[in-house]
Amino acid sequence: MRSSSPSWTLWSMTLLLSASSSAFHPLQTRQVGDTSFNWTAITPTPDLQYHSCYGGAFKCARLQLPLDYSKAGPPGKPYLNSTQQQQHAAIAIVTLPATVPPTDPSYAGPVLINPGGPSGSGTNMALAAGPMIQQLLDVPGKRHYDIVGFDPRGVSLSTPSASCYATEFDRSANALQQRGLPSVLTDQGLWVHFEASRALSRLCKETTGENGVFRHMSTASVARDMLEIVEGLHKLRKGAMTNGNETSKRCGEDGEVPRLQYLGLSYGTYLGNTFASMFPDRVGRMAIDGVVDADDYTAGTWQKNMIDSEAELDIFYNLCFDAGDACPLRNSQDTSAADIRTRVITLIQRLRESPVAAVHNGRVHIVSSLIVAETIRQAMYTPITSFAPLAQTLADSLSGNFTRILSNPGVVGATARPNVCTEPERTSPPQKYTFSNEVTSGVVCGDSQASAGTRDFAWAQATVPALLNQSATVGEGWARIPLACVDWPFTPAYAFRGPFGSPAPPRSNGTSSGRAPLLILSSRTDPATPLVNAFALSRLHGGSSVVVQENAGHTALFSSVSTCMYGILREYFASGTVPANGTVCEADCAPAIPYKECPGLPQM
């Protein structure tokens, strides 16, 4: 293990929250809109062809793959006939090359990354966080990795785009309209949201067609894309070497087939679980952090996400109470943290019954219970940087000052932008990624389509209170995620519905080659993917191990700093070795009120 934490690059972890919340999105890196590279200049090709991009520090590609894997050939040869006879997807890839060439003995191959979502952009993650991840995994002089970010089909720079709107004006207008909808916790509000979701489902079908991209966005399709990316990268490496067998031994493979090396966060754990269950012999190294329960997710029941949310809020309220006058949310008459919680819950309940209007930046805004609840939920993902500002925001809101809460575009509606009338014409790939909400619906609703049953109004009436039972504070925002699946018209053409799991790898021969068991990471108290999910997943994958980081926040690696956890992760990628199941790592930092800097922590 290293004795000090790595020097991280700046990584914004703002949640994508707007009219329809993303399900498991731990971070937002940078928006597509960096014009230093013209993606439209790349012609998609069935063989992986890289182009220098973003100032020459990265390599970019658009890999052409079958849109419908139910009609595809075997891995490495997915096209049964001419590529011209099949619809295809173009998968955008951004790679940060290893600091050594593939011919160097210390070259350790590519590591694919996924930021979650399921609408998260892997290309954005590679651009913003690739150097940090590379530094975290590299062992100087011994192991050096390529970091490979890709946009799953329908996402961001991959095409076709999972967009339901003909223009950005239409999308923005709808976002503005939905801001003013009543709470789903009222009968009228639930019906209005139900009808709006039903209409959006019809719009998506009208815009993209019955056999468009939404029918081919399943997690199983993305897992197969990952396998084809691994195949393509392997062919490139073999071409760079005079001895192909030597290359595969150095890249965490067994000399027979190329294997995946992967780091997945949040929803990316479900993607990793799917890959490992579909292609167990193609796993080399797989580290997943912030585990989504596969059975709960595919059933569309959403019962295993928020069960630790209120426990994390207890941490917040206790911090505030213990801080005394330094916490703006505490009153002099408070006798316990419960008094602070009661005032916040009362505010949410009051706004639920009677939203208020406020003026901000020259516009009138409706301040609802949802806005307050989503502000809290967003802060829970990154408590070290967010708990102190949250205390001030809630204190202001309790006094009737909503300036701070309305200054967060992720809460009040990031998709409703003021410049939509002057934006350039849409390109392919798009210059801006504005359709993340549609992507989330496409993946979440498609993956659960076969097992969720009839999503009628009776189902909606049962879903909302079930989510509130998990978390009375932030359940309202989560309820909008499954509600987006009302009358979803697309059943995936290629799907995997289990069983999830994989056998234990064969005993190691003492080298770093071959298949390794899964390394499963989790924070102790996670507001979106609770620790219990990590242990449930470990029971499905033989030989796997759970490492618990003693802190609150969404995912272990990106909610705090832990020298212990970093060392375990680095050793795992180097040797395939996992520690004892249930190993606990202390976090180097903890949230504080007032804010206390955590050296090495990604900044908001």
Side-chain angles (χ1 to χ4, degrees):
M1 296 183 186
R2 293 176 64 176
S3 60
S4 60
S5 60
S7 175
W8 303 84
T9 56
L10 182 66
W11 191 359
S12 169
M13 301 183 70
T14 303
L15 219 68
L16 289 174
L17 298 169
S18 54
S20 177
S21 304
S22 293
F24 311 102
H25 207 322
L27 55 94
Q28 173 188 357
T29 52
R30 69 181 67 177
Q31 278 291 322
V32 177
D34 186 338
T35 57
S36 62
F37 183 70
N38 179 15
W39 279 87
T40 63
I42 299 181
T43 300
T45 54
D47 57 321
L48 187 58
Q49 297 181 12
Y50 274 127
H51 305 257
S52 178
C53 57
Y54 298 101
F58 296 86
K59 298 187 296 183
C60 296
R62 296 180 70 198
L63 182 61
Q64 180 178 311
L65 295 172
L67 190 64
D68 186 355
Y69 276 119
S70 69
K71 302 175 182 178
K77 298 179 180 179
Y79 287 103
L80 292 172
N81 304 305
S82 168
T83 59
Q84 301 301 318
Q85 298 176 3
Q86 297 188 44
Q87 289 181 294
H88 66 264
I91 306 302
I93 300 170
V94 171
T95 294
L96 176 65
T99 56
V100 298
T103 53
D104 191 285
S106 66
Y107 177 72
V111 176
L112 273 64
I113 57 176
N114 181 276
S119 55
S121 167
T123 61
N124 283 353
M125 186 180 183
L127 290 171
M132 173 270 290
I133 297 173
Q134 190 176 73
Q135 183 178 0
L136 175 60
L137 299 182
D138 279 7
V139 181
K142 295 182 179 181
R143 306 284 294 183
H144 299 278
Y145 300 90
D146 297 323
I147 305 301
V148 181
F150 69 99
D151 288 343
R153 46 182 58 211
V155 171
S156 193
L157 293 164
S158 288
T159 56
S161 298
S163 172
C164 298
Y165 293 91
T167 69
E168 288 305 314
F169 178 84
D170 293 334
R171 176 178 289 106
S172 188
N174 268 21
L176 285 168
Q177 181 186 43
Q178 294 210 16
R179 280 192 207 173
L181 295 184
S183 171
V184 296
L185 303 182
T186 66
D187 290 339
Q188 181 187 31
L190 180 60
W191 177 255
V192 172
H193 280 277
F194 181 85
E195 283 296 299
S197 296
R198 174 183 285 174
L200 182 59
S201 294
R202 291 198 302 269
L203 176 64
C204 292
K205 185 176 181 179
E206 292 174 4
T207 304
T208 65
E210 291 187 5
N211 197 39
V213 65
F214 283 110
R215 193 161 178 261
H216 306 286
M217 288 174 58
S218 68
T219 299
S221 294
V222 179
R224 179 62 192 274
D225 287 342
M226 289 168 59
L227 188 56
E228 296 301 331
I229 292 171
V230 169
E231 292 277 351
L233 291 168
H234 182 63
K235 291 176 183 177
L236 285 181
R237 294 198 301 276
K238 287 179 65 177
M241 300 289 293
T242 57
N243 187 331
N245 288 333
E246 181 184 4
T247 302
S248 43
K249 288 179 182 178
R250 284 207 304 268
C251 297
E253 300 163 3
D254 61 8
E256 297 177 358
V257 294
R259 297 179 184 273
L260 172 70
Q261 300 186 115
Y262 176 73
L263 174 62
L265 312 175
S266 199
Y267 161 81
T269 67
Y270 176 73
L271 175 58
N273 184 9
T274 300
F275 185 99
S277 301
M278 293 177 67
F279 313 112
D281 292 333
R282 303 303 296 271
V283 174
R285 308 284 186 267
M286 181 173 289
I288 51 181
D289 184 6
V291 176
V292 174
D293 184 274
D295 291 333
D296 183 55
Y297 170 80
T298 56
T301 45
W302 300 94
Q303 293 300 296
K304 296 184 179 180
N305 301 116
M306 296 182 295
I307 57 179
D308 286 344
S309 290
E310 296 298 330
E312 182 173 337
L313 284 174
D314 284 339
I315 295 173
F316 167 69
Y317 292 123
N318 282 320
L319 277 175
C320 182
F321 182 78
D322 292 342
D325 293 341
C327 180
L329 189 56
R330 178 176 172 175
N331 288 344
S332 58
Q333 64 269 31
D334 290 333
T335 60
S336 70
D339 293 335
I340 305 174
R341 173 190 278 274
T342 297
R343 283 201 305 281
V344 174
I345 292 296
T346 300
L347 171 66
I348 293 173
Q349 291 174 340
R350 186 171 70 246
L351 291 173
R352 191 172 292 164
E353 298 169 0
S354 304
V356 300
V359 175
H360 179 67
N361 284 347
R363 295 177 59 181
V364 175
H365 297 264
I366 301 299
V367 181
S368 65
S369 58
L370 176 66
I371 288 180
V372 177
E374 288 292 72
T375 298
I376 296 171
R377 185 167 77 99
Q378 177 176 344
M380 293 166 65
Y381 278 55
T382 54
I384 288 177
T385 54
S386 300
F387 272 5
L390 175 64
Q392 186 64 63
T393 298
L394 292 175
D396 289 352
S397 299
L398 283 164
S399 69
N401 179 359
F402 298 104
T403 299
R404 285 179 178 269
I405 209 167
L406 293 174
S407 296
N408 186 346
V411 172
V412 298
T415 57
R417 301 187 315 282
N419 59 343
V420 292
C421 295
T422 59
E423 289 183 352
E425 291 295 321
R426 181 177 298 176
T427 60
S428 181
Q431 295 184 46
K432 291 187 177 182
Y433 181 29
T434 59
F435 45 92
S436 62
N437 288 329
E438 292 126 86
V439 170
T440 297
S441 296
V443 181
V444 166
C445 303
D447 281 346
S448 60
Q449 186 79 330
S451 54
T454 303
R455 292 188 260 215
D456 55 14
F457 191 64
W459 160 83
Q461 288 176 306
T463 296
V464 172
L467 291 169
L468 280 177
N469 283 339
Q470 289 183 65
S471 175
T473 306
V474 299
E476 181 177 0
W478 273 93
R480 295 160 71 94
I481 301 170
L483 286 178
C485 297
V486 173
D487 277 356
W488 190 250
F490 305 101
T491 299
Y494 179 78
F496 177 79
R497 302 184 182 94
F500 291 91
S502 62
R507 193 174 277 276
S508 172
N509 59 6
T511 71
S512 63
S513 63
R515 177 177 156 228
L518 273 61
L519 178 64
I520 304 169
L521 313 179
S522 178
S523 58
R524 173 68 68 182
T525 309
D526 190 309
T529 52
L531 176 59
V532 64
N533 293 356
F535 284 105
L537 178 65
S538 180
R539 290 190 289 271
L540 299 178
H541 292 276
S544 64
S545 179
V546 175
V547 181
V548 183
Q549 187 167 291
E550 287 289 3
N551 68 284
H554 186 38
T555 75
L557 292 174
F558 304 109
S559 58
S560 187
V561 172
S562 174
T563 305
C564 167
M565 185 71 82
Y566 299 158
I568 288 174
L569 185 68
R570 188 178 302 108
E571 176 62 27
Y572 170 74
F573 273 93
S575 67
T577 302
V578 297
N581 194 19
T583 293
V584 175
C585 277
E586 294 297 326
D588 296 356
C589 305
I593 301 174
Y595 168 71
K596 182 179 180 180
E597 183 179 1
C598 178
L601 181 72
Q603 302 297 307
M604 288 293 289

